[in-house]
């Protein structure tokens, strides 16, 4: 049987003639910081102080010794970042130039000093650029010339911290006769029968060439065996009436242990085990009267995808533990998210990410790693792209949560709209990858899953790549140039990216910018704002609805959070109300990789923004929303009652036209029955509609604890009364550091928010923005807060109506 020896200990990093302790998996930046050589790159302006690290070469080393109990010993490296030469006892083992691949070297009988010398990623990229010629890029960095995490070179939410190092585990594998080189389970369901076709490749030693080898596979109590012919074998397993894997909200996530063993006459030589799920997945891209659809269909059920975009959860991905993956993904699931798109400028995530998605019922849309750039298709990149794709398709395909392979992020769109075509002058730019190589590889290796050429993509060059009526759409004009009300201007078939910025939580800012007198334009705030004209767009977004608060940073911070939450909610409410024409929204973005002003719902320290709580509301199975106008932008408000649950929703909706002082001017009740996975849209009766320019009236809809609001004018024009409310703090029996903050409203309190981190950096509230009418009470559970009195609780409360 194969033996494995981990090699994650005993490494050192050479620096200025000294050997520093090195952590593997890890990277140069984290090792230098641990040794006191560089400051924390994520704090203050330190990013600029460590820029030199990415332009240097670095060498990791350790002694290698092993026994000779097997015919073969391989050095296996799951991830090297990025361009490296490996030597053992002075003998060159080989070289690498791809962060996204694993590597294997034969070190049988060899011992001595193992050295991994990393070239500067900039040097490697420039060497490739010299061979292929220039290509356009959204950012002034050479990320498209090296197969490395593109956002290492900076993004409009991330720092430029160009890493190097051994970023995934290292081990020795000792084996004899033969080993399992790859296992590809093709899992489907046909006519109620679960089918697992296991395609296996083996590698043999010289003495194992003529050996008779067999493979056995078992799942759900079914076992089958096949003989290895040459270096390949296929085992087929049929499981009667398996329990299916479903996305969360549609059913349970049934998983089965699949085991594979490679044997010869002497017994087991190697083994492989994963958990699989039986389910079918397709994308319905049929043409209809609205254009060309893009609807995920799992186990025959059409799904409105409630999605979020995922970026690497840390600038240094080796620091992301399985527990951290699960925490962040649990946060997503708790917000009723059912799809996570792994964005193409990051990494193929660790197994722990996909395992958590399997268990939580989060569908995974996996980009191949191309983003916002024209990519050369010549060597040496083309061979690396193919090897990388093969590696990762085979590695990830056992996971039932993986439902879609996607060729790239925004490159097809970029070619058409970002003036790439004249600059390229006929040079390759990646189209051959997205429309040729990658779909061919997916069809060869993983034909059980759909492939999309890119996001956005209309399905062919017959339509504009970002045409909202065809395929997937990225909606960025609104954030860049318009008010968020413009999200309601159209109904895309599938919104794969849209979003609005806000700064992180106050406690996150205080940690990241120690000692800084915080202001929107203070040095650290500007440094931790990477978007082009980011603060300008934040301020214009606020100014359309509120008076800008001048130097009142606390008020500015609160208002930017409010506008972010409202903006994203406006888009989702509108698009969900148009199901099934629109079949999904994928918010940019769930998470952050450092403390920064960005589009995230959870900031770089893991603290939820108000947007996160708003996602919990607008992504819930049941949603009540008041849309300002009917279809086509005409008519009065429309009540949309959205039911994504599998059972009918019967409810009584109370509609009230209310004055600013809380007086109800008119009231009506509508009985509504909404079928499973469907939407009912009801025009609001004229007598309930506030005047189009009224600064004193608004509309409220309530049903089953859900609330929707319609204000006819911007907040700065509305006659909000001065907010008056009582605050009580109640201890929660049996729960340490937990209190209930109870707010009793005497006036209208619009978008009331308790910023729990103002009470304690570890505190978290279970509520986001809530609007109370006079006489209503709100109970907010706060955990991790220590001792809190009414005065402190009041100081952490904000509302939109305050001046």
């Amino acid at each position: 049987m194969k033996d494995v020896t981990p090699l994650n200990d005993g490494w050192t990093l050479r620096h200025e003639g000294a050997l520093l302790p090195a952590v593997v998996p890890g990277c140069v930046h984290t090792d230098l910081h641990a040794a006191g050589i560089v400051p924390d790159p994520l704090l203050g302006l330190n990013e600029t102080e460590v820029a030199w690290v990415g332009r240097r070469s670095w060498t990791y080393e350790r002694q290698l010794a092993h026994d000779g109990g097997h015919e073969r010993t391989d050095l296996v490296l799951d991830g090297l970042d990025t361009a490296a030469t490996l030597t053992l006892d002075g003998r060159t083992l080989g070289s690498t130039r791809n962060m996204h691949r694993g590597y294997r070297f034969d070190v049988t009988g060899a011992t001595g000093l193992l050295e991994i010398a990393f070239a500067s990623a900039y040097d490697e990229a420039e060497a490739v650029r010299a061979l292929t010629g220039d290509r356009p890029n959204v950012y002034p960095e050479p990320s498209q010339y090296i197969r490395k995490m593109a956002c290492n070179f900076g993004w409009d939410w991330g720092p430029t911290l160009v890493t190097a190092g051994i970023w995934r585990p290292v081990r020795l594998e000792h084996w004899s006769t033969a080993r399992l080189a790859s296992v590809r389970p093709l899992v489907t369901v046909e006519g109620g029968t679960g089918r697992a076709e296991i395609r296996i490749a083996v590698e043999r030693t010289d003495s194992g060439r003529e050996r008779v080898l067999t493979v056995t596979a078992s799942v759900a109590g079914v076992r089958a065996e096949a003989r290895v012919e040459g270096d390949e074998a296929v085992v087929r397993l049929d499981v009667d009436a398996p329990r299916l894997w479903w996305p969360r909200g549609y059913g349970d996530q049934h998983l089965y242990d699949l085991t594979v063993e490679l044997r010869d006459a002497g017994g087991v030589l190697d083994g492989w085990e994963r958990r699989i799920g039986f389910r079918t997945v397709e994308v319905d891209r049929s043409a209809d009267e609205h254009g060309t659809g893009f609807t995920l269909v799992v186990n025959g059920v059409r799904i409105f995808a409630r999605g979020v975009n995922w970026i690497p959860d840390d600038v240094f991905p080796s620091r992301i533990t399985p527990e951290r993956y699960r925490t962040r993904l649990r946060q997503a699931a708790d917000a009723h998210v059912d799809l996570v798109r792994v964005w193409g400028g990051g990494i193929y995530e660790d197994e722990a990410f996909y395992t958590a998605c399997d268990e939580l019922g989060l569908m995974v849309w996996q980009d191949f790693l191309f983003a916002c750039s024209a990519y050369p298709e010549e060597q040496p990149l083309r061979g690396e792209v193919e090897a990388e794709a093969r590696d990762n398709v085979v590695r990830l395909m056992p996971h039932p949560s993986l439902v879609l392979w996607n060729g790239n992020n925004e490159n097809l769109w970029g070619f058409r709209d970002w003036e790439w075509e004249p600059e390229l002058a006929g040079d390759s730019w990646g189209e051959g990858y997205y429309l040729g190589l990658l779909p061919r590889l997916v069809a060869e290796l993983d034909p059980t899953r759909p492939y999309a050429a890119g996001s956005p993509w209309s399905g062919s060059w017959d339509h504009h790549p970002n045409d909202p009526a065809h395929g997937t759409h990225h909606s960025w004009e609104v954030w860049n140039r318009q008010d968020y009300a413009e999200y309601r201007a159209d109904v895309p078939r599938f919104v794969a990216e849209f979003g609005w910025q806000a700064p992180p939580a106050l406690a996150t800012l205080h940690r990241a910018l120690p000692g800084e007198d915080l202001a929107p334009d203070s040095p650290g705030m500007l440094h931790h704002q990477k978007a082009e004209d980011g603060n300008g767009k934040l301020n214009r977004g606020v100014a359309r609805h509120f008076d800008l608060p001048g130097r009142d940073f606390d008020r500015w911070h609160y208002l930017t959070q409010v506008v972010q939450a409202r903006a994203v909610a406006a888009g989702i409410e509108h698009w969900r109300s148009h199901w099934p024409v629109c079949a999904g929204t994928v918010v940019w973005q769930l998470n952050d990789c450092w403390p920064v002003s960005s589009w995230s719902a959870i900031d770089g320290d893991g603290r939820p923004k108000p947007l996160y709580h708003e996602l919990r509301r607008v992504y819930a199975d049941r949603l009540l929303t008041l849309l300002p106008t009917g279809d086509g932008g005409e008519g009065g408000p429309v009540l949309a009652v959205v039911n994504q649950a599998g059972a009918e929703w019967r409810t009584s909706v109370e509609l009230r036209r209310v004055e600013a002082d809380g007086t109800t001017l008119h009231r009506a009740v509508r009985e509504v029955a909404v079928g499973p996975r469907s939407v009912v849209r009801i025009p609001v009766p004229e007598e309930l509609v506030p005047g189009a320019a009224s600064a004193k009236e608004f509309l409220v809809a309530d049903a089953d604890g859900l609330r929707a609001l319609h204000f006819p004018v911007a907040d700065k024009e509305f006659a909000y009364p001065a907010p008056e409310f009582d605050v009580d703090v109640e201890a929660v029996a049996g729960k340490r550091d937990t209190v209930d903050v109870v707010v009793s409203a005497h006036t209208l309190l619009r978008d009331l928010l308790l910023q729990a981190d103002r009470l304690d950096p570890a505190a978290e509230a279970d509520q986001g923005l809530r609007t109370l009418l006079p006489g209503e009470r709100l109970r907010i559970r706060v955990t991790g807060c220590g001792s809190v009195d009414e005065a402190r609780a009041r100081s952490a409360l904000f509302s939109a109506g305050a001046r």
Side-chain angles (χ1 to χ4, degrees), residues 343-662:
W343 168 75
I347 60 175
Y348 303 99
E349 297 290 342
D350 186 79
E351 286 294 312
F353 172 92
Y354 303 93
T355 297
C357 289
D358 292 341
E359 296 170 355
L360 293 169
L362 296 171
M363 297 179 287
V364 176
W365 160 332
Q366 177 67 58
D367 281 12
F368 288 101
L369 301 186
F370 304 90
C372 299
S373 303
Y375 286 81
E377 297 176 39
E378 294 78 26
Q379 298 292 12
L381 288 177
R382 186 176 183 85
E384 288 296 337
V385 166
E386 178 164 357
E388 167 193 318
R390 288 184 177 276
D391 249 24
N392 287 285
V393 170
V394 172
R395 177 172 74 90
L396 300 181
M397 61 186 291
H399 293 281
S401 57
L402 179 58
V403 298
L404 180 69
W405 294 106
N406 179 59
N408 74 87
N409 176 75
E410 298 190 343
N411 294 342
L412 296 161
W413 180 22
F415 178 77
R416 177 58 55 86
D417 272 6
W418 300 345
E419 300 181 359
W420 288 3
E421 219 167 336
E423 185 176 343
L424 286 165
D427 288 339
S428 67
W429 55 274
E431 182 183 28
Y433 295 147
Y434 319 135
L435 299 180
L437 175 66
L438 295 174
R440 174 174 62 79
L441 291 178
V442 171
E444 172 196 341
L445 299 171
D446 188 17
T448 68
R449 286 183 178 85
Y451 170 85
S455 185
W457 180 234
S458 60
S460 78
W461 287 114
D462 293 339
H463 307 288
H464 187 281
N466 199 31
D467 187 335
H470 299 277
T472 53
H473 176 68
H474 289 193
S475 179
W476 284 115
E477 280 298 297
V478 175
W479 155 252
N480 284 322
R481 296 173 181 86
Q482 301 170 338
D483 181 53
Y484 61 72
E486 294 304 312
Y487 282 132
R488 305 185 185 105
D490 54 27
V491 182
R493 306 311 303 270
F494 192 105
V495 187
E497 276 189 23
F498 79 106
W500 203 275
Q501 268 203 358
L506 191 69
T508 300
L509 290 173
H510 283 313
R511 187 195 67 80
L513 307 174
E516 180 159 311
D517 185 9
L518 294 176
D521 59 353
S522 59
M525 285 294 294
L526 291 178
H527 186 77
H528 288 245
Q529 165 60 277
K530 297 297 186 179
E532 181 181 2
D533 190 29
N535 273 16
K537 293 171 185 176
L538 282 175
N539 287 336
R540 288 190 290 275
V542 170
R544 293 183 184 107
H545 298 269
F546 302 93
D547 294 324
L548 279 172
R551 302 303 295 178
D552 184 347
F553 180 79
D554 286 347
R555 181 73 177 164
W556 178 86
H557 181 269
Y558 161 75
L559 291 178
T560 55
Q561 303 273 349
V562 168
V563 173
Q564 180 191 37
R566 285 191 192 176
V568 172
I572 293 174
E573 289 180 347
H574 169 66
W575 294 320
R576 280 192 72 182
S577 76
H578 284 278
W579 162 259
V581 177
C582 180
T585 56
V586 189
V587 176
W588 188 271
Q589 64 218 61
L590 175 68
N591 58 326
D592 267 325
C593 62
W594 77 313
V596 63
S597 292
S598 84
W599 298 264
S600 71
I602 300 168
D603 75 17
D605 281 8
R607 293 186 175 93
K609 298 180 185 178
L611 171 59
Y612 172 80
H613 294 281
E614 197 68 355
L615 287 179
R616 290 175 57 194
R617 181 182 71 83
V618 296
Y619 271 167
D621 281 351
R622 294 175 173 179
L623 174 65
L624 203 64
T625 181
L626 287 165
L627 304 173
T629 58
D631 293 334
E634 300 178 354
V638 171
L639 170 69
V641 187
V642 181
N643 178 27
Q644 202 160 346
E648 183 184 50
W649 179 21
R650 289 184 172 271
T651 188
S652 299
V653 181
E654 182 186 48
L655 291 160
R656 287 179 286 167
R657 180 161 59 94
V658 181
E659 280 198 324
D661 65 2

Side-chain angles (χ1 to χ4, degrees), residues 23-27 30 42 99 149 151-152 157 166-169 310-329 331 342 346-354 356 590-594 604 606:
V23 174
V24 172
C27 74
T30 52
L42 308 190
M99 179 181 182
M149 185 169 88
C151 61
N152 264 173
W157 39 257
I166 307 168
W167 77 289
R168 279 184 165 156
W310 172 277
I311 66 171
D313 204 51
D314 199 306
V315 170
F316 308 124
S318 57
R319 300 198 300 196
I320 309 172
T321 63
E323 293 75 22
R324 181 163 159 186
Y325 273 124
R326 185 166 291 275
T327 295
R328 200 70 68 244
L329 292 167
Q331 287 174 304
V342 181
I347 60 175
Y348 303 99
E349 297 290 342
D350 186 79
E351 286 294 312
F353 172 92
Y354 303 93
L590 175 68
N591 58 326
D592 267 325
C593 62
W594 77 313

Side-chain angles (χ1 to χ4, degrees), residues 243-289:
R243 293 179 298 172
L244 300 181
W245 184 94
W246 288 94
R248 62 156 304 281
Y250 289 81
D252 294 328
Q253 291 75 53
H254 294 293
L255 298 168
Y256 293 87
D257 292 328
L258 170 64
T259 60
V260 176
E261 290 183 337
L262 175 66
R263 297 171 177 268
D264 68 0
V268 178
L269 300 171
D270 199 358
W272 180 97
E273 184 173 348
R274 297 288 189 279
R275 286 193 300 170
I276 64 170
F278 290 99
R279 53 101 183 101
T280 63
V281 60
E282 59 184 304
V283 176
D284 183 353
R285 291 177 255 214
S286 302
D288 57 27
E289 68 272 23

